[in-house]
Amino acid sequence: MAATRRHWLAAVGVMPIIGALAARAQTPSIAGGIQPRMSGRERIRLHHLPNVELIAHTGQRVHFYDDLVKDKKVIINFMYAKCEGICVPVTANLVRVQKLLGDRVGTDIFMYSITLKPADDSAESLREYAEEHHVGPGWLFLTGSPPDIEQLRRALGFTYADPAEDADTSNHIGMLRYGVEPLTRWAACPGMANPEHIVRSILWDLG
Amino acid sequence: MYPLKFRPAPLVEVARKNRQEIVRTGVTRRELIKLGLLSTSGYLIPMRGVSAQTGCAAGACQLGCSPPTIPFVDPLPIPPVLPERPLSDPGFRIPPNAQPSGQPQDARNQPHQFRDRFPPQKFFISRMRPNPNFRFSENAANLARIPPQLIWGFNLGGAAAGDIAITPGPTIVSRYGTPIVVRRFNELAPDDTGFGVPESSTHLHNFHSGPDSDGGPCDPVFNRIVRIGQFYDYFYTMARAGFDTPEFRATNGDIRETLATLWYHGHRVDHTAENNYKGLAGFHIIFNEFDTGNENTGFRLPSFPQFDVPLFVADKLFTPEGEICFDPFGFDGLVGDKYTVNGRLQPFFEVQKRRYRFRILDGGPSRFYEFFLTNPDNPSQSIPFWQIANDGNLLPRPIEITSTRISVAERMDVIIDFKKIWDRFGHPSRLWLENRLEQVNGRAPTDRILPPGNRANVVLEFRLVGPDNVPDPSFDPEPVSFPRVPCSPNDCVFAPICLPPLPADNAANPADQIRVTRSFRFERGNGQWQINGQLMDCTRFRFTVQRNTAERWILRNNSGGWQHPIHIHLEEFRIIRRNGRLIQCGNVEFSRKDVVRLGFNEEIEIVMRFRDFRGGYPMHCHNTVHEDHQMMLLWQVQDIGDNNPEP
C-alpha cells in the first residue's frame, strides 16, 4: 500500500497548505494568457444578483444587489398580488415563517417577495397586499420595470426550460431561495412546505 | 441615494450586443441553443458580454464554456487505501465509544445501535480538508487552462498538514465479520469558490447502517450536521442484513445480502450536490470469504488492487478561466462538459492483456451514462464485456453486454478481458470507455445513443501493453455468462451469495410475506418536488414501517420530462416490474438494488425488507440537485408499523 500511497501523493502534487490559499489569489500563469481569477462571490454577483432598480411596497427605491442582498442574509420568493394559485398559501406560510423567526427579520434576516407581474403590481397595490396579509417589518414586496424583473427572475434561476411552461405565470416556481451573500451560501426549499421545516432549513444555513 | 456599482444595460440591449458578438465568433444559433447559451426566444442567458470561449462570459458556469483540454495525457490515479489506526492515535483522544462523548467536538447525539453485539475491531480516521492545489491534470497545456485549484476531499487520517486531502477520498477496505469505526473530522474552511457548505454528514451508500451511522440528511431526532472543528464516529457492524431476525441471528445476517462496491459521500441536507461535486466522496469496498480480493481464492475475481480498480466517474464544469464551478441557482441539475475519472480529466490506464474488474460509479451530480467499449481505430466493432454486479451486489449470473446504462449513484462491476479483445478484435492498442448517452441538461438524458468513436465522449482510454500472454488465474465469466448459457431465476453462479427469496403476498415463510403495499407519485408542481402531493419535511416521518417485515412499493414518475435515480436507505430492494413488465433473469436489473432509475413516465414495482435497525431513513432522488431541492421524504422503522397505502 505504501507504494500506492506514494504514487498518489506524487500524482496530486504535495504542496504545503499554509500559504497556498494566498497563492491562489491569482491563477498561476503557467503558460501565459490566463485571465485573472474571479472570486466565487464576484461570479455569483455578476451572473445571479443583478443590481436592478426596484420599488418596494413601502415606496423606497432600491437596488437589488447593493441595497437588498449585499452582505445580508436573505429569503427571496416570487409572487403577484392577484395570484389565485399558490401565492396565497406561500404568503400565509411566509407570514408564519416571519413570526417564527421573530425579531431577526429586519435586523439580520431580510425577506423579499418579488412580483412576477410588474405591469399590474404597483408599489401601492403591493402595499395593500402586504397589509392584507399582516406582513411585519423586514419583509419587502418589490416591483420594477418588466425587463428588470425578467432579468432578475432568470438570474435567480426561477425559470422553466420549456418556454410554454415558463410563460405560464400561474405555474411559477414556488420555491424560496435563501442565502448568506458574503459566504456565497445559497439554498432553496419549497414555499409551501411546513413552516417549521422551512425555518429549520433556513436557520441551518443562515445560522 | 444609493451608490451604483454597475448599472446593467436593459436586457434587450444586452441580448442584442451579445448576439452580435456571437455572430462574429461564427457560432450558429442552433449550436448556441444546444450549448444552453441562447434560449429559443433568442435571449442569451443573462451575461455581460462574450469572451474568448466561444461565446462565454467571464465566470460563466455553463455547458460548453469549460476551456478545451487534451484527453488521455494523465495516467489514471488509484486512490490509496485508508490505513487502520491504533486507539492510541491522538485523533482518538476522545474515545470512539458507543455513547457519544458529550464533548462539543463530538457532533453525534445518539448511541450506536448493536455496538455491544458487534464490538469494533478496526478503527479509522479521515479528515475532510480543503486541498488548495488539486490538479485535474498534470499536463502543461491542460494546466495552463485548468490550473491547480481548491477542491475538498478526505485525507489518510493524519493530523499533520502534509496529510493532504484528495478526491475521490481514500478507499476504505473492510471485511464482513470485522466491525469498524470511522471517525471523520470536519477540517473544512469557508472559501471564495462560490459553492460548497463546510458542513458534512457522510453517508455510506448502500450499507445496512443504523440511523446513528447512516450519515443521512436531516432527522427529527439525530443530529447529523458535522460542523467545522467537529468529528462524527460512524460505526459499521460489517454484518449482513437480517442479523437481528430469528432466521439469521445465528449467522449474523443472511449471506445472500452480501455487499461489495459501496461509496461514501456527503449528505448535508440541501447541499449534497455542491459538496460532493467539490470532492467529498470516495469508495468503500467490502470483501468476504468468497469475494476475497485475491484471484487465487474464493470466486477468483481479479485481485485487488492491481486488477480490481474503482472508477469514480464525474462530470464537471469549469469557468472559461479554468476554475471548477457549480451553479447554486439552477433547479434542473448540473451536467458538465469535462469528464473526470478518479479526479483526473479523461485519463488513460495501461492494462495488461488479461482480465480486470472495474467498479464503475456514476458520481453525479446529474448525468446518466451508457458505457460502451470502443476501438478508436475501428469504431464500428461491437466489443463485449461482462457485468458481474449491479450496485453493491453480485449478479446471479454474469451477463455479457456491449453497453450498460447507469444513473447517478449506481455502480456496476464489470470484467473486461483485454486478452480476448486483443485476440478477437484485431490487436487494438487502445480501447475507449465511451459514454454514448446524450444528455444536454440536468433534467434527464435524451435517451438518444450517440455515434461511436467521439473522443469528447470518452471517460477513460485503456492502453493495452505488455506481452501477449500473461498468467491470468482469475475467473473467466465467458463460459457461464448469459446469453451464452441460458439463465434461470434460480441461477447462482456465485453461490452462496445468491438472490434471497422474493417477498410475496402469500409466502409460506411469514418473514417473506408482504405486509403492505404503498404507492409513491413523484411530481413537480409550481417547481416544487412533491411525493404524493406532499413536500419534504425534516421535522417528521411520513410513515412507519414495521421492523423485520417486507413491503411492496410502487414508484411512479409523474414529473413529465424528467428522470430520477431513486435511492432508498437501510436495505436493498428488488425491482419486480418496470411499467408492468416483469424484470427477468438475463436483465442486469434482476439483482438486489439500492438505486432505481425512474425514466420518463415510468412505474416501478419494488419489494424490500426492513430489518434489524429502528429509526429514520430517507427515500430521495439521487440527482443530487433535485435532492437538494428536497425531492425527498423521511420514513422510519419501528416495532409497530402503519398501513398507509399512499403516505
Side-chain angles (χ1 to χ4, degrees):
Chain A
M1 278 308 90
T4 315
R5 185 186 165 190
R6 251 197 323 274
H7 285 146
W8 177 269
L9 292 179
V12 295
V14 183
M15 177 178 173
I17 287 177
I18 299 158
L21 271 168
R24 62 189 295 286
Q26 278 212 324
T27 308
S29 186
I30 286 163
I34 305 296
Q35 297 178 37
R37 130 168 242 285
M38 184 186 288
S39 81
R41 186 181 182 188
E42 175 66 1
R43 189 170 62 71
I44 284 178
R45 181 189 70 77
L46 201 58
H47 290 270
H48 297 290
L49 305 171
N51 202 27
V52 293
E53 188 176 87
L54 301 169
I55 306 166
H57 74 282
T58 54
Q60 284 171 278
R61 282 181 177 273
V62 290
H63 288 91
F64 182 71
Y65 180 76
D66 285 344
D67 303 321
L68 300 185
V69 176
K70 186 185 174 190
D71 295 327
K72 290 186 175 62
K73 299 175 176 180
V74 299
I75 305 168
I76 301 165
N77 77 313
F78 283 86
M79 47 69 70
Y80 53 99
K82 292 214 175 80
C83 165
E84 300 291 320
I86 63 155
C87 305
V88 177
V90 169
T91 302
N93 246 4
L94 284 174
V95 168
R96 291 173 64 194
V97 167
Q98 187 181 31
K99 285 206 176 99
L100 288 167
L101 291 173
D103 290 346
R104 291 192 64 180
V105 179
T107 51
D108 80 322
I109 297 175
F110 299 88
M111 298 171 65
Y112 306 122
S113 294
I114 303 164
T115 181
L116 288 165
K117 296 196 171 177
D120 297 350
D121 288 343
S122 63
E124 179 57 24
S125 57
L126 290 176
R127 187 180 62 78
E128 284 166 20
Y129 185 88
E131 281 171 3
E132 246 171 62
H133 289 86
H134 308 291
V135 162
W139 181 358
L140 296 180
F141 288 76
L142 298 154
T143 187
S145 80
D148 283 351
I149 295 284
E150 180 65 3
Q151 185 189 356
L152 194 51
R153 183 176 77 91
R154 293 198 166 275
L156 289 169
F158 282 70
T159 56
Y160 294 98
D162 174 36
E165 204 177 3
D166 198 50
D168 178 4
T169 310
S170 71
N171 186 39
H172 69 268
I173 289 176
M175 299 289 283
L176 308 179
R177 176 82 71 205
Y178 51 92
V180 185
E181 188 277 335
L183 297 182
T184 62
R185 187 174 175 136
W186 293 98
C189 76
M192 285 166 75
N194 170 10
E196 278 158 18
H197 163 81
I198 293 175
V199 167
R200 205 171 170 182
S201 301
I202 285 175
L203 292 182
W204 273 328
D205 273 308
L206 270 48
Chain B
M1 187 165 64
Y2 297 99
L4 278 182
K5 270 204 161 167
F6 89 95
R7 185 168 189 144
L11 185 63
V12 177
E13 178 62 14
V14 174
R16 190 184 61 79
K17 279 190 182 158
N18 282 340
R19 279 196 299 268
Q20 285 173 348
E21 281 186 70
I22 284 163
V23 168
R24 283 198 295 274
T25 64
V27 186
T28 69
R29 185 169 180 276
R30 192 193 181 93
E31 281 168 336
L32 285 168
I33 292 171
K34 211 173 149 189
L35 291 170
L37 294 174
L38 193 67
S39 69
T40 42
S41 58
Y43 277 85
L44 276 160
I45 308 305
M47 54 172 68
R48 294 205 311 157
V50 178
S51 63
Q53 220 78 263
T54 325
C56 292
C61 188
Q62 288 167 346
L63 201 58
C65 287
S66 299
T69 50
I70 306 164
F72 322 136
V73 289
D74 290 288
L76 174 77
I78 311 289
V81 170
L82 187 67
E84 190 186 345
R85 285 189 182 257
L87 281 172
S88 57
D89 188 285
F92 291 124
R93 194 181 50 77
I94 299 173
N97 293 334
Q99 288 291 337
S101 66
Q103 300 289 318
Q105 306 96 300
D106 186 349
R108 186 161 53 104
N109 69 343
Q110 300 286 314
H112 291 143
Q113 289 187 37
F114 294 102
R115 178 81 179 249
D116 290 345
R117 186 169 156 196
F118 301 104
Q121 296 172 35
K122 289 191 175 184
F123 298 88
F124 299 87
I125 293 175
S126 191
R127 298 168 189 268
M128 283 167 257
R129 291 178 167 179
N131 177 339
N133 193 35
F134 185 79
R135 293 169 182 230
F136 286 96
S137 172
E138 291 286 346
N139 174 273
N142 285 346
L143 276 170
R145 291 181 169 134
I146 297 186
Q149 56 190 281
L150 181 78
I151 56 90
W152 286 349
F154 289 84
N155 82 349
L156 290 165
D163 190 343
I164 59 168
I166 52 173
T167 188
T171 300
I172 298 179
V173 177
S174 63
R175 234 184 124 80
Y176 277 103
T178 306
I180 64 171
V181 166
V182 182
R183 172 168 289 186
R184 294 186 170 101
F185 285 91
N186 179 349
E187 298 181 357
L188 301 170
D191 59 54
D192 63 356
T193 58
F195 69 97
V197 163
E199 291 161 8
S200 75
S201 170
T202 307
H203 177 50
L204 176 47
H205 186 114
N206 199 173
F207 196 65
H208 184 55
S209 306
D212 50 86
S213 295
D214 187 45
C218 59
D219 185 286
V221 181
F222 288 84
N223 175 45
R224 285 173 169 157
I225 299 183
V226 186
R227 297 175 191 279
I228 292 171
Q230 290 188 307
F231 66 82
Y232 196 108
D233 290 333
Y234 298 88
F235 164 62
Y236 306 119
T237 60
M238 302 321 300
R240 284 118 172 159
F243 64 77
D244 202 39
T245 62
E247 209 176 347
F248 300 110
R249 191 167 285 118
T251 53
N252 281 340
D254 183 350
I255 192 158
R256 296 167 296 186
E257 299 288 357
T258 301
L259 306 168
T261 304
L262 293 73
W263 63 304
Y264 60 90
H265 64 76
H267 214 313
R268 165 62 168 89
V269 68
D270 303 336
H271 297 283
T272 293
E274 57 191 294
N275 281 8
N276 292 354
Y277 181 81
K278 199 161 175 167
L280 295 183
F283 277 96
H284 184 135
I285 292 172
I286 310 177
F287 289 115
N288 61 70
E289 57 271 49
F290 305 101
D291 181 2
T292 61
N294 180 340
E295 62 197 21
N296 296 299
T297 61
F299 298 148
R300 295 188 296 109
L301 295 170
S303 287
F304 179 85
Q306 204 181 354
F307 306 114
D308 173 353
V309 180
L311 301 178
F312 192 114
V313 182
D315 56 338
K316 307 287 185 192
L317 283 179
F318 295 85
T319 62
E321 300 79 39
E323 301 205 296
I324 185 169
C325 63
F326 179 93
D327 171 12
F329 291 78
F331 286 120
D332 284 2
L334 182 146
V335 288
D337 51 17
K338 292 289 168 191
Y339 289 125
T340 63
V341 183
N342 295 350
R344 281 290 152 95
L345 290 164
Q346 295 180 289
F348 68 85
F349 186 53
E350 288 187 346
V351 293
Q352 299 175 32
K353 294 169 192 124
R354 53 155 290 155
R355 282 181 288 275
Y356 282 74
R357 175 187 194 169
F358 294 102
R359 304 173 189 252
I360 305 175
L361 162 69
D362 178 347
S366 302
R367 186 182 282 279
F368 293 41
Y369 297 80
E370 182 136 351
F371 285 119
F372 292 74
L373 277 180
T374 306
N375 176 356
D377 301 314
N378 190 352
S380 64
Q381 288 175 338
S382 181
I383 299 175
F385 51 109
W386 290 273
Q387 186 162 346
I388 60 161
N390 194 331
D391 290 343
N393 318 290
L394 287 167
L395 295 171
R397 180 177 290 283
I399 299 177
E400 185 178 311
I401 51 175
T402 53
S403 77
T404 185
R405 191 170 294 199
I406 182 170
S407 66
V408 185
E410 284 188 296
R411 284 129 289 141
M412 57 173 174
D413 291 11
V414 299
I415 289 180
I416 301 180
D417 191 330
F418 293 104
K419 168 67 175 160
K420 287 197 170 101
I421 293 170
W422 172 260
D423 288 343
R424 293 176 189 170
F425 292 91
H427 298 184
S429 59
R430 35 187 204 140
L431 288 168
W432 286 347
L433 185 64
E434 185 175 15
N435 170 36
R436 289 170 51 192
L437 183 60
E438 183 183 64
Q439 183 161 357
V440 293
N441 60 49
R443 297 187 294 279
T446 63
D447 286 351
R448 185 173 157 241
I449 299 297
L450 300 164
N454 181 347
R455 56 205 283 134
N457 297 332
V458 176
V459 302
L460 178 63
E461 178 174 279
F462 296 111
R463 293 187 185 159
L464 283 65
V465 298
D468 286 1
N469 289 294
V470 290
D472 184 357
S474 74
F475 162 75
D476 182 359
E478 186 172 38
V480 295
S481 66
F482 176 84
R484 261 164 220 277
V485 177
C487 68
S488 93
N490 302 318
D491 278 343
C492 195
V493 169
F494 298 113
I497 301 175
C498 311
L499 287 176
L502 271 180
D505 293 307
N506 302 311
N509 180 351
D512 293 334
Q513 284 171 10
I514 290 174
R515 198 184 69 86
V516 58
T517 297
R518 308 185 198 261
S519 303
F520 301 93
R521 293 186 322 274
F522 294 86
E523 296 162 321
R524 196 166 189 254
N526 285 100
Q528 305 169 95
W529 292 113
Q530 301 165 24
I531 303 175
N532 289 343
Q534 297 184 64
L535 301 155
M536 172 61 173
D537 192 340
C538 286
T539 70
R540 68 186 188 99
F541 298 116
R542 187 82 76 82
F543 59 99
T544 304
V545 174
Q546 191 156 316
R547 181 172 172 267
N548 291 346
T549 66
E551 300 195 353
R552 176 190 289 111
W553 289 9
I554 312 288
L555 314 177
R556 288 195 190 93
N557 183 1
N558 290 21
S559 61
W562 303 71
Q563 294 191 21
H564 307 289
I566 302 296
H567 175 48
I568 307 174
H569 289 215
L570 177 63
E571 259 205 64
E572 293 184 284
F573 50 82
R574 287 278 302 277
I575 306 171
I576 304 301
R577 285 184 180 79
R578 199 177 257 287
N579 306 318
R581 211 182 58 252
L582 269 177
I583 298 294
Q584 292 174 306
C585 74
N587 187 321
V588 294
E589 290 192 325
F590 194 76
S591 167
R592 287 175 287 134
K593 289 283 293 170
D594 66 69
V595 178
V596 61
R597 285 195 311 274
L598 199 47
F600 297 123
N601 304 313
E602 284 198 315
E603 177 180 298
I604 311 281
E605 177 187 334
I606 63 171
V607 294
M608 178 166 171
R609 292 182 173 88
F610 303 83
R611 288 176 291 193
D612 309 326
F613 297 104
R614 296 173 179 87
Y617 297 92
M619 168 165 69
H620 62 87
C621 179
H622 220 297
N623 178 327
T624 44
V625 176
H626 304 174
E627 173 183 345
D628 284 344
H629 296 128
Q630 307 199 338
M631 187 170 180
M632 185 178 310
L633 59 71
L634 301 180
W635 48 279
Q636 66 176 336
V637 181
Q638 295 299 348
D639 292 329
I640 303 295
D642 67 39
N643 296 312
N644 189 345
E646 213 171 276

